[in-house]
Amino acid sequence: MKKPFLPRYFIASVILLLVLVSLYVLSESRRLQQELLRQTSAKGMALAEAMESSAKNAILGNSLLEKLVSERLLDNARLIDQLLLSGPVSSDFLQELSTMNRLHKIELLDQRGHPWEIPEPPPMPRQMREMMAEMGQQMHRGARPERQRMMTFMWGRRWVLPGDRDDSRTDTPPPVTEQKFWEGSVFGVAIGARSIPGIIAVHANADYILNFKKEIGVQRQIEDLGRQPDIHHVALLDNQYNYVAHTDRSLIGKKAPEGPFLKTQAGGKTHAEIIQLDQGRLYQLVKPISLNSSPMGFLQIGLSLEPMEVAWRSSLWSILILGVAILAVGILGMAAIFYNQDSHLREVKALEAEVARRENLSALGNLAATVAHEVRNPLNSISMGLQRLRAEFHPTEDEDQYNRFIELMRGEVQRLNSIVEQFLSLARPLDLKFESIRIGEFLQELMLLTGADGESSKVQIQVDARSNLPALRADRNYLKQLLLNLILNGIQAMPEGGPLKIEAGTSHGDLSLTISDRGVGIPEDKLSRIFEPYYTTKTNGSGLGLSIARRIVEAHSGTITVESGAEGGSRFRINLPIDGPPESKET
């Protein structure tokens, strides 16, 4: 059995395909990674845009709320100052006014920061109290007296819009500052009083303000946004890089690293980078926030790259599997192509060898015809002379030796004549006479003809042919010459005797004849040349028998093959079309 043909071109093609598939896997994985990163960046930008709009709206809402509350508290402080100018007011009245206007408390402080002692006024008439209550309700509804210029300040404010004019001051008199009268108060205002030598401080009841900020404020929105699985953190910072809002409440009020924000300020645009943390890699985006063309701070969003990396690894496996599949299909395809090409080349070489063989046979035939013509005439003359010598010349002594010498010479002449006939059989076309032959009966005849040779060599000839085999259309004499040649070769190949088996059957519409022996066998290096003219493995063989046998088979449009080995045994297989060659049907 021949080994598979693996040319260097096939190996080079496999290497080239491997390189191409590797480049495809690398480029596709890189493209996929960049696409996932681009989608992450687009998501971060979309979140930043939405969060910027929400932050601006929250800042506007908080600033407007605080402005309205501060205006209301200032109106209450001015009202109290006006009441004190109108006449003495009791502490109970101030407490009642605080309750009516939903204030936390009202304080009157002197220049040293001590509570101002209000002298007890006479009881206020009922009509006066109703009038004061009505004035308080009007102030609550927004009707306030004419605003006077005086020193004011407030505390607790956080949201101041850029460009807003702020009349308040946060620098209180030192005695008041040391008093820290605003401890425990979230929001309030104070004005310099005209009615007393000090200030009037109004503390707001800020529960509803805090609740409002909690519901619509930036912190609430950031916390809701931070609950998404792929968002690591969201933060809002002021211009000094202090956290104003953060998904982690513990960081509010702390200062952030300045690096990303400095890069953002330098470029004036959104800055994005990938950072490495203990929890994994993050895609961090810093966007400047401005309101009315004035900078207000920065919005920072950190997106976890873990989902992207998981998707990338999953897709990478798919790409690798696809690459391996492409590589496997490519290798199989190239193997099939190279195998078919190799088979085609083998067929071409076989045809070339057949053409060369036929050309050699043609040249040999022409030579044989010439040689045979030149040799047969002298042989005929020698044969005729020997016949005349034997018939006309009788020696007086040693007649027996003379006759043996004549017979020996005649035998040699006949041997030379048979060689010439074999020469001629290679040179001239075979004149086939087709007839229907029953293979079973035909093989029995051959067994009878060769039986004596087989018995003398201790060879047992066995015929295995079914009785229902179809009749073969062939030339009986040439077919007999063909099979006799193979049978006698098999007998000669077994000098120690043994079985020689002749089998007949059908194969793909052809008649199959097999002659197998258990002789010395044919070496593998000589097996391909045994059908060449004058090539023989026998010491006394002419080398024409198998060549003539092959020519007879080809004349019947059949094939002959041989299997053998140095370990012994040979098997000749002949396939002949049952109906004979096409030209025989026309005749």
Side-chain angles (χ1 to χ4, degrees):
M1 184 175 181
K2 295 182 179 180
K3 296 182 179 179
F5 178 62
L6 294 176
R8 60 180 182 274
Y9 301 106
F10 173 73
I11 298 175
S13 300
V14 170
I15 294 175
L16 177 61
L17 180 62
L18 180 61
V19 171
L20 293 177
V21 171
S22 301
L23 291 176
Y24 162 76
V25 171
L26 291 176
S27 62
E28 189 66 16
S29 61
R30 184 174 180 81
R31 185 198 64 81
L32 177 63
Q33 190 176 36
Q34 292 176 348
E35 176 63 21
L36 292 175
L37 188 59
R38 187 194 65 80
Q39 293 179 5
T40 303
S41 176
K43 180 179 180 180
M45 288 297 298
L47 289 175
E49 294 289 342
M51 197 62 205
E52 180 184 13
S53 178
S54 299
K56 288 180 179 180
N57 292 333
I59 291 172
L60 288 172
N62 289 333
S63 178
L64 180 59
L65 175 64
E66 292 176 354
K67 186 173 182 179
L68 293 175
V69 173
S70 64
E71 289 291 337
R72 179 190 168 201
L73 295 180
L74 287 172
D75 289 341
N76 279 276
R78 295 187 188 103
L79 173 62
I80 295 170
D81 190 30
Q82 187 66 34
L83 290 176
L84 290 174
L85 286 174
S86 302
V89 179
S90 65
S91 299
D92 293 337
F93 176 76
L94 292 178
Q95 183 64 37
E96 184 179 356
L97 183 64
S98 175
T99 302
M100 290 171 56
N101 288 279
R102 292 182 292 181
L103 302 176
H104 181 57
K105 64 180 178 178
I106 299 173
E107 286 187 311
L108 306 177
L109 303 176
D110 58 17
Q111 295 291 338
R112 292 172 298 179
H114 298 155
W116 178 264
E117 296 293 339
I118 302 175
E120 289 294 332
M124 185 179 294
R126 178 172 173 273
Q127 293 180 353
M128 186 64 179
R129 290 198 304 269
E130 292 178 355
M131 182 184 69
M132 297 300 295
E134 180 64 24
M135 288 178 65
Q137 292 177 2
Q138 290 178 1
M139 296 297 293
H140 177 65
R141 289 193 297 268
R144 59 178 183 260
E146 183 181 356
R147 186 173 180 180
Q148 302 181 23
R149 293 185 177 276
M150 58 183 69
M151 186 275 291
T152 64
F153 64 93
M154 60 185 62
W155 61 91
R157 296 188 64 183
R158 177 177 296 167
W159 307 106
V160 179
L161 300 181
D164 279 4
R165 182 173 176 270
D166 191 4
D167 294 332
S168 64
R169 299 186 317 183
T170 57
D171 51 340
T172 59
V176 177
T177 303
E178 293 175 1
Q179 185 70 22
K180 296 183 181 180
F181 65 93
W182 53 75
E183 287 185 353
S185 174
V186 177
F187 195 82
V189 300
I191 63 174
R194 295 172 300 169
S195 57
I196 63 173
I199 64 173
I200 300 173
V202 179
H203 299 255
N205 187 355
D207 292 341
Y208 71 95
I209 299 176
L210 296 177
N211 290 333
F212 180 78
K213 289 182 180 180
K214 184 177 180 181
E215 292 298 326
I216 70 168
V218 180
Q219 181 64 29
R220 173 65 177 272
Q221 297 178 26
I222 286 178
E223 289 180 352
D224 292 341
L225 188 63
R227 293 188 181 97
Q228 297 185 20
D230 55 343
I231 295 181
H232 182 266
H233 67 270
V234 181
L236 181 65
L237 301 93
D238 57 20
N239 289 323
Q240 286 71 40
Y241 318 130
N242 296 315
Y243 287 117
V244 177
H246 199 288
T247 48
D248 186 0
R249 286 179 173 268
S250 64
L251 296 178
I252 297 177
K254 296 182 180 180
K255 194 175 185 63
E258 299 180 0
F261 309 103
L262 293 177
K263 295 178 182 178
T264 303
Q265 287 180 335
K269 298 181 180 179
T270 302
H271 171 72
E273 62 181 351
I274 296 177
I275 60 176
Q276 181 70 41
L277 299 178
D278 295 338
Q279 298 86 350
R281 295 201 308 160
L282 294 182
Y283 181 82
Q284 183 170 269
L285 183 143
V286 177
K287 180 177 178 62
I289 299 177
S290 60
L291 191 61
N292 299 331
S293 301
S294 299
M296 291 191 62
F298 303 91
L299 182 65
Q300 184 184 59
I301 298 177
L303 299 176
S304 173
L305 294 180
E306 179 65 22
M308 184 201 79
E309 292 174 349
V310 170
W312 178 76
R313 286 193 293 267
S314 176
S315 300
L316 182 60
W317 274 111
S318 301
I319 294 173
L320 288 174
I321 293 174
L322 178 61
V324 171
I326 293 174
L327 183 62
V329 172
I331 291 175
L332 291 176
M334 287 192 299
I337 293 173
F338 274 88
Y339 178 79
N340 291 333
Q341 184 182 15
D342 180 60
S343 300
H344 177 69
L345 290 176
R346 290 179 183 275
E347 292 178 359
V348 170
K349 290 181 179 179
L351 291 175
E352 291 176 351
E354 180 65 18
V355 170
R357 186 183 67 83
R358 291 181 181 273
E359 290 178 353
N360 291 334
L361 287 178
S362 176
L364 183 63
N366 294 332
L367 176 63
T370 303
V371 172
H373 177 73
E374 297 296 330
V375 171
R376 288 185 69 182
N377 291 332
L379 287 179
N380 288 334
S381 299
I382 293 173
S383 179
M384 293 174 59
L386 290 175
Q387 290 179 0
R388 289 188 61 183
L389 284 174
R390 184 174 183 180
E392 298 177 4
F393 182 76
H394 299 282
T396 56
E397 59 184 17
D398 299 329
E399 184 176 358
D400 293 337
Q401 184 177 359
Y402 171 77
N403 290 331
R404 285 196 301 272
F405 181 73
I406 293 296
E407 289 297 326
L408 178 62
M409 294 179 62
R410 288 186 60 189
E412 291 299 317
V413 168
Q414 290 178 356
R415 188 176 69 83
L416 289 175
N417 187 62
S418 66
I419 293 174
V420 171
E421 290 295 332
Q422 290 179 351
F423 254 129
L424 292 176
S425 65
L426 289 175
R428 63 194 176 197
L430 299 182
D431 184 15
L432 301 180
K433 298 178 181 179
F434 293 96
E435 60 179 290
S436 295
I437 302 174
R438 291 188 169 277
I439 294 301
E441 298 176 358
F442 184 74
L443 294 179
Q444 293 295 332
E445 293 178 7
L446 291 178
M447 187 174 66
L448 291 176
L449 289 175
T450 57
D453 294 329
E455 290 178 0
S456 62
S457 300
K458 299 180 181 179
V459 174
Q460 300 84 35
I461 301 177
Q462 304 172 0
V463 176
D464 182 6
R466 300 196 309 270
S467 59
N468 58 349
L469 287 175
L472 174 66
R473 183 173 175 79
D475 185 291
R476 177 180 289 271
N477 292 329
Y478 280 114
L479 183 62
K480 182 182 294 185
Q481 181 181 354
L482 165 66
L483 295 179
L484 282 175
N485 193 346
L486 295 178
I487 293 172
L488 292 177
N489 283 346
I491 293 174
Q492 294 172 6
M494 294 186 289
E496 304 297 329
L500 188 145
K501 192 171 185 180
I502 305 173
E503 300 175 273
T506 56
S507 175
H508 304 290
D510 293 341
L511 178 69
S512 177
L513 295 171
T514 304
I515 296 96
S516 55
D517 61 64
R518 294 183 182 178
V520 294
I522 304 172
E524 186 176 359
D525 57 338
K526 300 179 180 180
L527 197 62
S528 60
R529 300 188 58 191
I530 61 172
F531 292 108
E532 295 180 4
Y534 304 108
Y535 182 82
T536 179
T537 58
K538 302 176 184 177
T539 56
N540 58 349
S542 65
L544 294 175
L546 290 179
S547 299
I548 296 173
R550 182 176 184 175
R551 185 146 187 237
I552 294 173
V553 171
E554 291 175 349
H556 285 80
S557 298
T559 59
I560 180 171
T561 57
V562 59
E563 298 175 4
S564 182
E567 63 275 5
S570 299
R571 179 184 178 92
F572 287 85
R573 184 181 182 88
I574 302 169
N575 287 330
L576 299 174
I578 293 177
D579 296 331
E583 59 271 14
S584 69
K585 300 177 184 178
E586 298 176 359
T587 57

